[in-house]
Amino acid sequence: MIFEFETQLSTDGWMGALPIPEDIADQLTVSKIKRVVATVTSGKNEITLYAGVIKKKGMFYLMCSKANKKLLNIDQGDEVHVSMHEDTSKYQAPMTEELEAVLLSDHEAYELFEKLLPGKQRNIIFMVYGVKDSQKRVDIALNAMENLKIGNNNPMKFEKLYP
């Protein structure tokens, strides 16, 4: 099911929030949809947003980071068009070819990765996904797997093990 709506960028402290209309939020709740892939459009600018549906103070919304606001060229109060659907992918995040190749080539790392909580798996996936250069993606994926092998299961505290 695809959900489409117009919304205005609002604030949630230090980040942007894209409020989800109540009727759509009700449908998401009934369908138990917690993660979505959204195409967010502002004028000629468009991004794909892999996000969790957040509920805070009775409101449902998607987070829009500072980097995404810059890509969309929007500020608080600006209107955007959102088209979203449930993220049904295995990890509910955009798996890169580089990370997938590292996981396929290292069985021990794959097993450790699979034992992580879904949120930590997504942290690693987004850590790799956020890098543009393919070789750097490989390096970050290898570094992440080496951290898992030495028992460091917290992606936020990974050490840089390669020069």
Side-chain angles (χ1 to χ4, degrees):
M1 178 180 286
I2 296 176
F3 303 96
E4 292 200 42
F5 57 94
E6 305 291 325
T7 191
Q8 289 184 339
L9 180 69
S10 64
T11 185
D12 178 36
W14 70 97
M15 296 182 90
L18 299 173
I20 299 171
E22 194 173 321
D23 60 329
I24 293 175
D26 291 343
Q27 292 177 55
L28 294 173
T29 302
V30 168
S31 300
K32 297 182 180 176
I33 296 174
K34 295 183 179 184
R35 295 202 58 84
V36 296
V37 178
T39 302
V40 183
T41 309
S42 174
K44 295 179 183 177
N45 302 321
E46 182 176 285
I47 63 166
T48 301
L49 187 65
Y50 299 87
V53 175
I54 298 171
K55 180 180 180 184
K56 191 173 185 181
K57 296 180 183 174
M59 264 187 64
F60 288 81
Y61 58 93
L62 304 174
M63 294 304 296
C64 188
S65 69
K66 186 176 181 180
N68 284 334
K69 289 189 290 189
K70 187 175 180 180
L71 288 170
L72 288 167
N73 194 26
I74 59 173
D75 289 311
Q76 185 174 343
D78 290 346
E79 191 163 294
V80 296
H81 176 80
V82 179
S83 175
M84 67 183 189
H85 63 276
E86 182 178 13
D87 188 343
T88 57
S89 63
K90 179 177 180 180
Y91 299 109
Q92 296 184 325
M95 177 62 81
T96 64
E97 290 178 19
E98 296 85 356
L99 179 55
E100 190 170 29
V102 168
L103 290 170
L104 290 172
S105 67
D106 187 338
H107 187 69
E108 179 186 359
Y110 173 77
E111 287 183 342
L112 291 168
F113 182 79
E114 286 297 313
K115 288 180 183 175
L116 293 174
L117 294 171
K120 289 188 178 190
Q121 290 173 336
R122 284 192 292 274
N123 282 345
I124 293 171
I125 291 169
F126 281 115
M127 187 183 301
V128 175
Y129 176 77
V131 177
K132 299 213 182 294
D133 182 68
S134 182
Q135 184 56 52
K136 285 185 180 177
R137 283 184 175 188
V138 171
D139 293 343
I140 290 170
L142 288 170
N143 188 67
M145 295 309 111
E146 289 303 316
N147 269 278
L148 293 179
K149 287 180 184 179
I150 63 170
N152 184 357
N153 293 332
N154 185 347
M156 298 301 168
K157 295 184 179 178
F158 279 174
E159 295 177 31
K160 187 173 181 182
L161 302 173
Y162 292 109

